[in-house]
Amino acid sequence: MDNSIRQIGNVIKNDPAVANVIAFTGGGGATNTGSLYIALKPLAERKGTAAQIINRLRPQLNRLPVASAFLQSVQDLRIGGRSSNAMYQYTIQSDTVQDLTKWGPIILGAMQGLPGLQDISSDQQNGGLEELMNYDRVNAAKLGLTVQSLDSTLYSAFGQSQVSIIYTQLNQYYVVLEVAPQYWQTPEGLKDIYLQSSGGTFRCSGWPGAKPTPLPWPSTIRAYFLRSRCPLTWRRTCL
């Protein structure tokens, strides 16, 4: 996400009508999202309105092989209590995750085929994966391994294990232990994890039971119903 938002920010900064761009990742309870705040030059120094500049930037951003970017101009009066990727949003709700998982992409695809809409997206993400590990406690005990040591090794590799704090005169920095990025991109990284015990060092790939399963991103919960939102923008035609 850091690489994506840097490339998106560079494209926006190169536009002659843009004065400043501030970008950051995270927010909204998600780590795979980011936000940008764009300040335009005064109207006397630039050509075009905010909507025209957005239309000019949209095809450039769509060509980037990174995360999708959705731009909208700030309104003095905002209608609605929740922010989204576009000026309007269509919300579906259900009492089960299975119904949202099934019908969310169907409704999204149908809306994307309507000629009067653009910048259609969804906060529903069904492409995640989780890895289920089954411990063989009998064999682990024979090798001198405990469940706590197995959990600690895996968390140190793939979690946010804080190991130290660096103190300076004005700030403090947390030191986080993890494996190199190329080892946590896929579940195949588990094969390169080694377990240390009093009986020696053992490779994690020798343990059975690593099973990847789909993991939908948590949906919005409101009024005891699960909700999925599809932000959209009306396409304007100038005559």
Side-chain angles (χ1 to χ4, degrees), residues 10-232:
N10 290 334
V11 171
I12 296 175
K13 285 191 296 185
N14 291 333
D15 191 281
V18 175
N20 296 292
V21 179
I22 299 177
F24 60 90
T25 60
T31 57
N32 61 339
T33 62
S35 300
L36 299 101
Y37 293 92
I38 306 168
L40 300 179
K41 295 179 180 179
L43 190 59
E45 301 178 14
R46 57 180 165 90
K47 296 180 180 180
T49 62
Q52 292 172 336
I53 296 172
I54 290 176
N55 292 332
R56 185 168 65 208
L57 290 171
R58 184 179 289 113
Q60 302 180 49
L61 297 176
N62 291 339
R63 287 193 295 265
L64 293 177
V66 293
S68 300
F70 304 94
L71 303 179
Q72 56 177 307
S73 58
V74 178
Q75 304 295 319
D76 294 333
L77 180 61
R78 180 178 180 85
I79 300 176
R82 292 178 295 180
S83 60
S84 64
N85 296 335
M87 296 179 62
Y88 306 93
Q89 57 182 310
Y90 183 83
T91 304
I92 59 176
Q93 66 179 25
S94 173
D95 56 351
T96 63
V97 177
Q98 291 75 15
D99 288 340
L100 281 182
T101 303
K102 175 182 177 180
W103 290 103
I106 295 176
I107 296 177
L108 177 64
M111 296 175 67
Q112 289 174 338
L114 297 176
L117 304 179
Q118 63 184 2
D119 290 343
I120 304 173
S121 63
S122 174
D123 64 352
Q124 186 178 14
Q125 304 178 41
N126 301 324
L129 289 176
E130 64 177 354
E131 192 81 5
L132 179 63
M133 298 291 295
N134 295 323
Y135 293 160
D136 189 338
R137 301 194 180 204
V138 176
N139 288 328
K142 294 178 181 179
L143 299 174
L145 297 170
T146 64
V147 174
Q148 182 179 1
S149 64
L150 295 174
D151 288 342
S152 177
T153 300
L154 293 175
Y155 186 78
S156 297
F158 304 107
Q160 294 289 321
S161 180
Q162 179 183 327
V163 296
S164 179
I165 302 178
I166 300 176
Y167 294 95
T168 64
Q169 293 181 347
L170 299 178
N171 210 336
Q172 60 185 24
Y173 303 89
Y174 295 94
V175 180
V176 177
L177 176 66
E178 64 178 4
V179 296
Q182 62 266 28
Y183 295 106
W184 51 256
Q185 298 295 327
T186 66
E188 294 297 321
L190 288 170
K191 297 180 180 179
D192 298 310
I193 301 299
Y194 289 81
L195 305 171
Q196 184 72 35
S197 72
S198 57
T201 303
F202 308 94
R203 196 173 184 179
C204 190
S205 60
W207 294 90
K211 181 181 179 182
T213 57
L215 178 65
W217 193 262
S219 302
T220 304
I221 301 179
R222 187 175 181 86
Y224 303 102
F225 286 95
L226 296 170
R227 293 189 172 188
S228 178
R229 295 177 291 173
C230 295
L232 54 99

